[in-house]
Amino acid sequence: MPDFPKGVFCAALTPLNADTSPDHSRLVEHCQRLLAEGCTGVALLGTTGEANSFSTRERMAMLEAVVGAGVDPTRLLPGTGVCALPETVELTAHARSLGVRTVIMLPPFYYKDITDDGLFAAYSQVIDSLADDGLQVILYHIPPISKIPLSVELVGRLRERFPHTIAGVKDSSGDFDNMAALTAAYPDLSIFAGADPLMLPLLKQGGAGCITATSNILAAPLRYIFDHHADGSAAAEVTRAQEHVGRIRALTARWPQMATIKAMLAHLHDQPGWNRLRPPLLPLTPAQRAEFEAAMAETEIRFA
Amino acid sequence: MPDFPKGVFCAALTPLNADTSPDHSRLVEHCQRLLAEGCTGVALLGTTGEANSFSTRERMAMLEAVVGAGVDPTRLLPGTGVCALPETVELTAHARSLGVRTVIMLPPFYYKDITDDGLFAAYSQVIDSLADDGLQVILYHIPPISKIPLSVELVGRLRERFPHTIAGVKDSSGDFDNMAALTAAYPDLSIFAGADPLMLPLLKQGGAGCITATSNILAAPLRYIFDHHADGSAAAEVTRAQEHVGRIRALTARWPQMATIKAMLAHLHDQPGWNRLRPPLLPLTPAQRAEFEAAMAETEIRFA
């Protein structure tokens, strides 16, 4: 059986300069910190990383900066799926050229009400064009944002057609039943929860871990849960970690999530630049900011 | 008052080669035919043109081919709005460098539930970056596909901030009340119906015309309606043209619209290559094809 990724992967946020260009040095520092804090790997250039707000060139330059700084490319799971298949091919081939083994691939997401046949054709055209036996693709199911669900049947068709390439699914539907159905249907694939609190129940059903936004600030407790979920003697500590994750995650949902987690990073590391987002996303408004500050005054984000 | 576009603009379909690359020579021929058939101009590289399925380079090459073949660039309204603002800037600047005056600009459409402030910031960042006094921008409101509605208030804020640049709105919501509200609120802007049957009622409220898919095959009756809508002596013929447009448009809605209009072009011009679409979009299925052929056997698409 191929060696598909498992573990706690951080959907890394992207630090920006004042002109909303990516801040490479801080991105490198963040990726290194995430690995040091316990992340199995870093899923940079995903939804949480504002990847779709960056140009093809900006995306490539970010990945080059991180790999160039010495981060092990086999621990990176960059997002490479965009609307235009030739650019998905280009981004994937570029990542592979840097030593990346596994990418997370959105379906083309502009046109809506796409059939499974259309999505099968799109993914097939990309994978056939790449003709790369060493490539692993994690399919990205995030209907609340992409509005393009990937059905359980579609995953099966793609897995059958590309058994060495289709490595798993990142399920950011928020629908635990769908994650459990994927895990039951394809036990050889790596099924990742896109929401932190769902990693533990999914691990119990054979899931592969998580790829999440909150791990930007909660890598340690998530890694503890991942490592000890089947260890009865650690049950109390796993429960405590899970409760902490649930509490902080609930807090991030009180305001726009990406702006909030960026504000938490700014707060934790005393780096106000983390508060920047590229339009159409915006930082917290002054009113949200005031509520956020009040909440921070009575919350310890770090798990201790 | 600035000279903003008015008339019948075709959201031109894109002919493809067998490998789904754009067929430049047939695209040039199609643009020339649309102008000869009565279109005021051609809105190429829009939703109907599969623009978001093409790479930045493919988009630029298509526009270069059409302008290079001698089509007047001031009669072209290319789409230039993509998810990443630097690429929206790049595509718009490229179109301007070829002599295009007016572009149709989608908002960034990956992230959902974006605030008006976020959309205002996105459009402002693009227009400020371009710093081009001669540029005209038609805002593109197509919530069924982009899932990013542009509110009447947002249009007003952008118009106030960029009075010489914001030229109008292409309203593909299908919601006539919204088009009428835009026309009433901003009578100096060019408000275009994105659905052919709505052009006539919108013209009566001060609208600027249409930018539509069905004009790929129905330029002549649409132009007749545009030219004669206020001419009482032509009322019967306008009604007949409007009924024809409504009938064919209803037919295109029986199957996936873009595949159907491509099939109609293949049928009308005996050019089977028109049936190709790039994934995730697909041609009509065999079952749809059989129904389509049966319908074509008893339908005259041309208005006579």
Side-chain angles (χ1 to χ4, degrees):
Chain A
M1 202 167 79
D3 178 29
F4 294 149
K6 295 189 191 316
V8 172
F9 293 87
C10 178
L13 289 157
T14 302
L16 302 181
N17 296 307
D19 65 356
T20 81
S21 62
D23 180 338
H24 289 182
S25 64
R26 194 142 283 172
L27 176 64
V28 166
E29 173 190 287
H30 186 50
C31 290
Q32 289 168 334
R33 178 173 52 214
L34 290 168
L35 294 172
E37 286 177 348
C39 285
T40 312
V42 180
L44 75 173
L45 288 162
T47 299
T48 304
E50 298 178 73
N52 288 297
S53 296
F54 299 123
S55 69
T56 298
R57 276 193 294 275
E58 286 176 320
R59 292 167 74 129
M60 289 181 177
M62 286 163 65
L63 194 54
E64 287 165 14
V66 173
V67 174
V71 176
D72 177 355
T74 68
R75 296 181 74 180
L76 299 176
L77 272 58
T80 61
V82 294
C83 290
L85 303 185
E87 287 174 343
T88 299
V89 169
E90 190 179 356
L91 287 166
T92 305
H94 174 262
R96 290 284 295 148
S97 76
L98 296 176
V100 167
R101 180 153 191 210
T102 309
V103 301
I104 301 178
M105 201 179 282
L106 273 170
F109 54 80
Y110 181 66
Y111 295 100
K112 303 302 187 297
D113 302 319
I114 297 298
T115 61
D116 273 11
D117 285 349
L119 294 172
F120 182 81
Y123 275 114
S124 296
Q125 186 166 316
V126 168
I127 297 171
D128 282 334
S129 296
L130 286 159
D132 175 352
D133 287 344
L135 170 67
Q136 294 186 350
V137 172
I138 294 174
L139 303 169
Y140 193 1
H141 175 60
I142 182 168
I145 295 185
S146 68
K147 306 292 181 187
I148 304 291
L150 306 181
S151 71
V152 175
E153 296 71 26
L154 173 67
V155 172
R157 286 174 63 185
L158 286 165
R159 169 178 160 277
E160 189 163 333
R161 171 84 173 72
F162 302 104
H164 300 289
T165 308
I166 301 299
V169 181
K170 177 183 178 191
D171 186 338
S172 298
S173 64
D175 174 2
F176 185 75
D177 290 346
N178 193 69
M179 298 174 207
L182 284 166
T183 307
Y186 314 117
D188 51 327
L189 293 187
S190 285
I191 309 301
F192 292 97
D196 315 74
L198 299 180
M199 179 179 74
L200 178 58
L202 190 62
L203 286 171
K204 292 182 175 171
Q205 308 239 354
C210 72
I211 305 173
T212 63
T214 319
S215 53
N216 280 280
I217 43 173
L218 292 179
L222 286 164
R223 180 60 181 266
Y224 188 88
I225 295 167
F226 182 82
D227 286 345
H228 297 278
H229 70 94
D231 171 6
S233 70
E237 189 66 1
V238 165
T239 299
R240 201 172 72 84
Q242 177 74 356
E243 284 171 357
H244 182 76
V245 167
R247 199 156 46 234
I248 302 298
R249 159 99 183 180
L251 199 59
T252 69
R254 280 182 57 186
W255 309 283
Q257 193 196 35
M258 288 160 62
T260 302
I261 303 181
K262 279 196 157 179
M264 287 178 173
L265 274 172
H267 169 83
L268 273 173
H269 304 298
D270 197 20
Q271 292 176 339
W274 267 110
N275 284 300
R276 301 182 187 118
L277 288 91
R278 179 175 281 185
L281 299 177
L282 294 178
L284 298 179
T285 64
Q288 290 165 342
R289 184 91 216 163
E291 292 175 16
F292 171 81
E293 302 278 3
M296 283 302 98
E298 54 191 42
T299 304
E300 177 50 71
I301 295 175
R302 285 192 183 83
F303 181 62
Chain B
M1 203 167 79
D3 176 30
F4 294 149
K6 293 186 193 314
V8 172
F9 293 86
C10 179
L13 288 156
T14 302
L16 302 180
N17 296 307
D19 65 356
T20 81
S21 62
D23 180 338
H24 288 183
S25 63
R26 193 141 283 169
L27 175 64
V28 166
E29 174 191 286
H30 186 51
C31 290
Q32 289 168 334
R33 179 171 53 216
L34 290 168
L35 295 172
E37 286 177 350
C39 285
T40 312
V42 181
L44 74 173
L45 288 163
T47 299
T48 305
E50 298 178 71
N52 288 299
S53 295
F54 300 123
S55 69
T56 299
R57 277 194 293 275
E58 286 177 321
R59 293 167 74 128
M60 290 182 175
M62 287 164 65
L63 194 56
E64 287 165 15
V66 172
V67 174
V71 176
D72 177 357
T74 67
R75 296 182 73 180
L76 298 176
L77 272 59
T80 60
V82 293
C83 290
L85 303 185
E87 287 174 342
T88 299
V89 169
E90 189 179 357
L91 287 166
T92 305
H94 174 261
R96 290 284 295 148
S97 75
L98 296 174
V100 167
R101 181 152 189 211
T102 310
V103 302
I104 302 179
M105 201 179 282
L106 274 171
F109 52 81
Y110 181 66
Y111 295 100
K112 303 300 185 299
D113 304 317
I114 297 298
T115 62
D116 273 12
D117 284 349
L119 294 171
F120 182 81
Y123 276 114
S124 296
Q125 185 165 320
V126 168
I127 297 170
D128 282 334
S129 295
L130 286 159
D132 174 353
D133 287 343
L135 169 68
Q136 294 186 349
V137 171
I138 295 174
L139 303 169
Y140 194 180
H141 175 59
I142 182 169
I145 295 184
S146 68
K147 307 292 181 188
I148 304 290
L150 306 181
S151 71
V152 174
E153 296 69 28
L154 173 67
V155 171
R157 285 174 63 185
L158 286 165
R159 169 179 161 276
E160 191 164 331
R161 172 82 174 71
F162 301 105
H164 301 289
T165 307
I166 301 298
V169 180
K170 176 181 180 193
D171 186 338
S172 296
S173 64
D175 174 2
F176 185 74
D177 290 346
N178 193 69
M179 301 175 206
L182 285 166
T183 308
Y186 314 117
D188 52 325
L189 293 187
S190 284
I191 309 300
F192 292 97
D196 315 75
L198 300 180
M199 178 179 73
L200 179 57
L202 189 63
L203 286 171
K204 292 182 175 171
Q205 307 238 357
C210 71
I211 304 174
T212 64
T214 319
S215 53
N216 281 280
I217 44 171
L218 293 178
L222 286 164
R223 180 59 181 267
Y224 188 88
I225 295 166
F226 182 82
D227 286 345
H228 298 279
H229 70 94
D231 171 6
S233 70
E237 189 66 0
V238 165
T239 299
R240 200 171 74 82
Q242 176 76 356
E243 286 170 357
H244 182 75
V245 167
R247 199 156 47 233
I248 302 298
R249 160 97 185 180
L251 199 59
T252 69
R254 279 183 56 187
W255 309 285
Q257 193 195 35
M258 288 161 59
T260 301
I261 304 181
K262 279 198 157 178
M264 287 179 173
L265 275 173
H267 169 83
L268 274 173
H269 305 300
D270 198 22
Q271 291 174 340
W274 267 111
N275 285 300
R276 300 182 188 116
L277 288 91
R278 179 175 282 185
L281 298 176
L282 294 177
L284 298 179
T285 65
Q288 291 166 341
R289 184 90 216 166
E291 292 175 16
F292 172 81
E293 301 279 1
M296 283 302 97
E298 53 191 42
T299 305
E300 177 50 72
I301 296 175
R302 284 193 182 82
F303 182 62

